[in-house]
Amino acid sequence: MSEKTLNPFEICQSQIKDAVEALGLEPAVYEILKQPLRFFQVSIPVVMDDGSVRVFTGFRSQHNDAIGPTKGGLRFHPDVYPDEVRALSMWMTFKCAVLGLPFGGAKGAVICNPKELSERELERLSRGYIQEISQIVGPEKDIPAPDVYTNPQIMAWMVDEFSKYRDYNAFGLITGKPIILGGSAGRNEATGRGCVVVVAEAARRLGMDIKGARVVVQGFGNAGSVAGKLIHDLGAKVIAVNDSRGAAYSPQGLDPVAVLEHKQKTGSVKGFPGSEDISNEDLLQLDCEILIPAALENQLTAAIAPGVKAKIIGEAANGPTTPEADQILFEKGCVVIPDILASAGGVTVSYFEWVQNLMNYYWTEEEVNVKLEQMMKRSFNNIFDMHQAKKVPLRKAAYMVAVQRVAEAMKVRGWLNGCRQ
Ligand code: GLU
């Protein structure tokens, strides 16, 4: 590992410190923001199908609620660890602030491999987790949502379980639910859609034609597959995609819908007819105009960045670029649309879902998509103007806008004078 640290928590702290210093804010802002306000760890006993009991470890990190109830997804992953959850919750605070959503940031996780659990085991684990954290979440407190390897079905089990404790249908507890349980039209596609909106907007501002532009998508899960499809619909050429098992590369271009069907059938994009399997490193360094990292953290490192050819990077994943790689990419003139902006489509439509739940009045998919597009474009152009005016990377501009908003809320609430309790 050539880089000093790849700990996402430390990376996030340095991003906050940079913004606080650039804005000339009082040190108390950094002192409060450099860690979550609350971090919970829970043990979840689950009866497995063979009758044995296995105890899983789960977390919920609530970073900051100065602007509103905390909000953020829930990840099921075998390698997830506390500092990662802390960082993910911090990024949620700034993601919500960049978009101007009335939320703070949170994130949850359970250490598990959902691919190795049966449907019933997954259900018992999901119900067990929400039971353990039921006191600290709620529609006006902390609102979970899907993230890596969680989905609307898992949200449905959780909202059902939580509703039992509250004795009413508390649909506002969680977002990313199935439509029949108060889910929002357009929520499933929102992260990928939001990413494509800002990438297309970046191309427009840079004078690049999106038609015919070559696109590489790293990670073909919920966000990546939708981003691939929508950018293909805009006339771009998706030349390579991958997942944890392999890649599909074709310089002539792939049909993202057919690739997704192949993945649904075989479990991977690898082996898609007419495509070539290449390594993750080679995929990130392919000759292309647009790169969409849509997998996990720390993918674009100092070792990879010098070989990256893309002109625009739209971070659909959380934390895919390390600080050293960021600097290298900035010096190469590559425009990196940071995660706290490019991946904010999901939480933006989560906000719409929560509003619809509180009103009990539901919008059409078209209404949702129009509102999402407006909010993403407005936030992108605000950040892009600042990036050009102040000659700072987009990430720094985004952090400056976000940290400024959170600091302002903390200031008027009196938190900077020690009055948080
Ligand atoms: N997990 C998504 C994210 O990282 C969505 C969070 C939400 O909708 O609350 O942005």
Side-chain angles (χ1 to χ4, degrees), residues 125-139:
L125 176 61
S126 305
R127 289 182 185 274
Y129 173 77
I130 205 74
Q131 183 181 344
E132 295 303 333
I133 63 161
S134 69
Q135 293 305 316
I136 57 151
V137 292

Side-chain angles (χ1 to χ4, degrees), residues 71-73 92 95 107 143 145-147 175 187 318 343 346-347 350:
K71 181 90 192 79
M92 284 311 300
K95 203 183 282 195
K107 200 77 165 202
I143 304 125
D147 194 77
T175 58
R187 174 62 186 84
N318 290 299
S343 77
V347 72
S350 275

Side-chain angles (χ1 to χ4, degrees), residues 106-182:
K107 200 77 165 202
V110 176
I111 305 175
C112 68
N113 187 349
K115 292 178 190 166
E116 288 170 1
L117 298 174
S118 73
E119 173 98 349
R120 295 313 307 264
E121 289 167 342
L122 196 59
E123 174 174 355
R124 287 193 284 265
L125 176 61
S126 305
R127 289 182 185 274
Y129 173 77
I130 205 74
Q131 183 181 344
E132 295 303 333
I133 63 161
S134 69
Q135 293 305 316
I136 57 151
V137 292
E140 321 239 289
K141 235 189 221 179
D142 180 12
I143 304 125
D147 194 77
V148 174
Y149 295 155
T150 53
N151 56 34
Q153 175 61 76
I154 291 174
M155 302 303 115
W157 290 323
M158 289 189 180
V159 85
D160 179 71
E161 190 67 22
F162 184 84
S163 296
K164 288 184 202 161
Y165 310 132
R166 293 293 189 273
D167 267 337
Y168 74 98
N169 277 333
F171 287 168
L173 162 74
I174 213 161
T175 58
K177 301 178 293 292
I179 304 268
I180 193 75
L181 288 189

